[in-house]
Amino acid sequence: MREDRFLVRVDEVGAGMTVNLRDIGTGELSLERLETEKLNDISVEVVLKTTATGITANFAVTFEAAYDCVRCLEPFVRKTVSELLLVYTEGRDPLWRQDRAKLEVQDTERISYTGPYLDLKPGIREAIILAMPIAAVCAGDCPGLCPVCGRKKGSSNCQCRSSAGGIFSPNRIGARKRQAGS
């Protein structure tokens, strides 16, 4: 293959072509700034087909990422499969010099290319970024932290009653205001 493994020759696509890439590093995709402690085991399968509107690319990106749960603050690792459909169209992007452009839905699914190669990096990077959670939760039923003791609710270390209001209960806030006023 070529020196850059993310480049695919346009004339090789034809009626169909599958590209499999394994062991992709975050540095190769410029993903070092993502808010995850660890992003690894990135692999991708891209099915390319020439159509009347351009070259369609079906991305199936698999990766593993480490997060901190926003409820209980515990670290956890999750394996994710993200799928994305993009259409590569030949020529320059007609909106590339405009500061503000009115985009239609189909405009967000297109990537323009010039020359004999397609670059798969933008599609892979976009599939990963779109699959990253805004607020990562270790489990759907994660109870979070106890508002009284600050430990994980339901753990053996937390013996607090669930009815206790914690530091943000109206009674404690009122008591703190009275103490501050005295």
Side-chain angles (χ1 to χ4, degrees), residues 13-84:
V13 174
M17 172 186 203
T18 301
V19 177
N20 288 297
L21 300 168
R22 304 277 179 258
D23 300 321
I24 301 170
T26 55
E28 293 179 272
L29 299 172
S30 302
L31 291 173
E32 302 90 356
R33 290 186 158 168
L34 281 182
E35 291 189 24
T36 175
E37 292 176 14
K38 196 178 212 179
L39 183 66
N40 57 33
D41 292 338
I42 303 171
S43 61
V44 64
E45 178 180 275
V46 185
V47 178
L48 300 160
K49 291 182 184 176
T50 302
T51 65
T53 58
I55 298 173
T56 61
N58 285 301
F59 291 85
V61 181
T62 305
F63 63 94
E64 195 172 82
Y67 306 96
D68 290 325
C69 179
V70 296
R71 291 184 190 161
C72 68
L73 307 179
E74 293 287 323
F76 69 98
V77 175
R78 178 166 295 142
K79 187 169 189 143
T80 304
V81 177
S82 177
E83 295 184 359
L84 178 69

Side-chain angles (χ1 to χ4, degrees), residues 53-138:
T53 58
I55 298 173
T56 61
N58 285 301
F59 291 85
V61 181
T62 305
F63 63 94
E64 195 172 82
Y67 306 96
D68 290 325
C69 179
V70 296
R71 291 184 190 161
C72 68
L73 307 179
E74 293 287 323
F76 69 98
V77 175
R78 178 166 295 142
K79 187 169 189 143
T80 304
V81 177
S82 177
E83 295 184 359
L84 178 69
L85 172 68
L86 292 177
V87 178
Y88 286 83
T89 55
E90 190 172 11
R92 280 208 179 262
D93 182 354
L95 305 173
W96 77 280
R97 292 195 119 196
Q98 296 182 12
D99 289 337
R100 294 180 182 260
K102 184 171 177 4
L103 296 176
E104 302 295 328
V105 172
Q106 64 269 19
D107 294 331
T108 64
E109 300 167 351
R110 297 191 186 284
I111 293 182
S112 298
Y113 73 93
T114 57
Y117 295 101
L118 298 178
D119 187 0
L120 301 178
K121 279 185 200 178
I124 298 168
R125 186 173 37 249
E126 190 169 334
I128 291 171
I129 291 170
L130 289 173
M132 300 292 281
I134 293 171
V137 180
C138 62

Side-chain angles (χ1 to χ4, degrees), residues 6-19:
F6 299 101
L7 297 179
V8 174
R9 284 193 62 84
V10 173
D11 57 3
E12 292 177 0
V13 174
M17 172 186 203
T18 301
V19 177

